[in-house]
Amino acid sequence: MLRVDNPEIPAILTAALGVAPRDTYLGEVISRLRNRPCPGVGRVLNIRPIKQGRATVAYEFVDLRPEDAAPLSVPGVRVILKPRAPKPVAVVSAEPVSAPAPVPVSDLVTANESASLSFAVSKSSSASDYSQKIASLASEASLLARVPAVSKAFVPFGDFEVVDRIVGTRHATDVFTTFITGHSGNGKTFQIEQACAKHQREYIRVNITAETDEDDLIGGFRLKDGETVFELGPVVIAMLRGAVLLLDEVDLAGPKVMCLQPVLEGNALTIKKLGITIKPAPGFTVFATANTKGRGSDDGKYIGTNLLNEAFLERFSITIEQQYPSVAIEKKILAKTFQTLGAVTVTPEAETFFETLAKWADAIRQTFNEDGIEDVISTRRLVHIVKTYRIFGDEDRAIALCLNRFDTSVKAKFLDFYAKLKPQPVVEPVDAPVAPSDDIPF
């Protein structure tokens, strides 16, 4: 990295390079300098302005090779030299890209502005230039493709063994695709994340909406700092790094997700806007989660879900029907969640409360399946109740606050269920007082 403390650097550089005075815009300077030798600078991949308020006070030359990072030999320019280690450069071609070993990061990530997922485009750039730029960006994508942290509140259940084996296999020659369907709040996304944490797999989650299109998924042109750049989408980054890609709430998608057909088939993806083709690296795996099976929601419970194209659904290798956990598992989930909130131990009172919550939710779900009630209590809703209980220390208040999202009639039915299952306090019998007697025992 080379920092030039002079806000007039574009004009100075254009003069030093013999560029016409009218071409003193930063974008023009960058395009002329990029990937070509520059006096005292070497090959420059990017230039970033440094601002104080609205004023530009300096410029940084980013991604210089250490051997090229020499002081800038332009009169009147003071230079601060900050060389950095070279980055591995992969090749986007017929062979998969070799990504660096993933590094776990914490949930609190401070963004590094130099690790951009975009690159400038110009009329003079060729498809080969774009391929090299994309390959170099793939090694900087750790802010997007990250290894999730292991959660102490996670309890495996249901088909987690299937998900765990898929994530741990790291398919070397083919892409494996999995569709997971089930009611809201029953751990579909969480189990994929925790499988990735267990196997130290990089994980990219994309939340699908009705507006999601090829530009969001594959990438597209953006305007940054006055120049046109192409920003890589999460699907491309996952392919390049061999990461686990999650298409979350995929049944909200419209027809535009059909752009993922070659990706789901395990084939190379052609970015038509750049004229290049990218093959998935070994280990690239695709999961999709949904509340329906891609046939919409007839009862209106999951409004906004769409009918997915049959050809799109057919490209998923397997489908997992995720159920809610059993009472015993759900009780364990609630106890572990309580402990992650700072509770040293789970008191007998709290343990009884968690068991009652699990039995309550199970009874409501059974009634829902028999069309006896309009809604269900999800595992996520129980976790909300436990978190609220941890704050207020009051069982009834925690339940009431967390049930306010439901209609009045549904809430009343839920509370009636809970009242019937809630353990009643044990009242020990009190001996009746003995009436005084005038008899004098002998």
Side-chain angles (χ1 to χ4, degrees), residues 88-314:
V89 177
V91 178
V92 182
S93 62
E95 295 299 324
V97 171
S98 176
V103 179
V105 296
S106 65
D107 290 336
L108 300 177
V109 179
T110 302
N112 179 1
E113 294 181 358
S114 66
S116 173
L117 298 180
S118 61
F119 55 89
V121 294
S122 65
K123 294 181 179 179
S124 60
S125 299
S126 65
S128 177
D129 295 333
Y130 295 144
S131 297
Q132 294 179 5
K133 293 172 183 177
I134 290 177
S136 64
L137 284 177
S139 64
E140 295 182 341
S142 58
L143 296 181
L144 180 63
R146 66 185 187 90
V147 177
V150 175
S151 173
K152 294 181 180 179
F154 179 69
V155 179
F157 70 93
D159 289 308
F160 175 74
E161 182 271 335
V162 177
V163 174
D164 180 66
R165 181 167 296 187
I166 293 171
V167 171
T169 299
R170 296 176 183 265
H171 301 272
T173 58
D174 196 10
V175 176
F176 199 81
T177 54
T178 305
F179 191 99
I180 304 179
T181 180
H183 282 299
S184 174
N186 68 358
K188 298 183 294 296
T189 301
F190 194 30
Q191 67 176 353
I192 299 170
E193 175 188 293
Q194 289 306 297
C196 291
K198 175 182 175 181
H199 294 284
Q200 292 293 283
R201 293 291 309 276
E202 285 189 341
Y203 163 78
I204 298 180
R205 174 179 173 180
V206 183
N207 288 89
I208 304 297
T209 70
E211 304 300 324
T212 301
D213 58 13
E214 182 175 353
D215 195 76
D216 301 314
L217 299 169
I218 307 302
F221 295 105
R222 313 280 188 267
L223 186 63
K224 289 187 177 181
D225 296 328
E227 66 175 346
T228 302
V229 302
F230 189 91
E231 186 169 79
L232 299 179
V235 173
V236 174
I237 296 298
M239 292 178 68
L240 290 171
R241 297 181 69 84
V244 174
L245 174 67
L246 170 60
L247 305 173
D248 204 17
E249 309 290 359
V250 74
D251 53 351
L252 293 175
K256 294 180 180 179
V257 296
M258 295 295 285
C259 66
L260 297 180
Q261 296 293 74
V263 177
L264 298 177
E265 293 170 350
N267 295 328
L269 173 68
T270 298
I271 303 181
K272 295 171 288 190
K273 298 173 183 177
L274 300 177
I276 63 174
T277 299
I278 296 175
K279 281 189 175 181
F284 176 58
T285 307
V286 181
F287 285 91
T289 61
N291 298 130
T292 69
K293 291 185 178 181
R295 293 288 179 265
S297 178
D298 293 334
D299 57 6
K301 182 174 175 60
Y302 298 110
I303 190 169
T305 54
N306 294 313
L307 294 173
L308 295 179
N309 188 287
E310 181 66 24
F312 179 80
L313 293 172
E314 187 61 22

Side-chain angles (χ1 to χ4, degrees), residues 338 347 349-350 353 385-399 401:
F338 189 65
T347 63
E349 293 78 9
F353 179 46
I385 293 174
V386 170
K387 291 179 177 179
T388 309
Y389 171 68
R390 177 62 180 160
I391 295 173
F392 296 101
D394 186 320
E395 298 178 7
D396 293 336
R397 188 179 184 186
I399 292 173
L401 287 171

Side-chain angles (χ1 to χ4, degrees), residues 337-357:
T337 299
F338 189 65
Q339 290 180 304
T340 62
L341 299 174
V344 179
T345 59
V346 179
T347 63
E349 293 78 9
E351 187 173 353
T352 300
F353 179 46
F354 301 153
E355 183 176 6
T356 304
L357 288 176

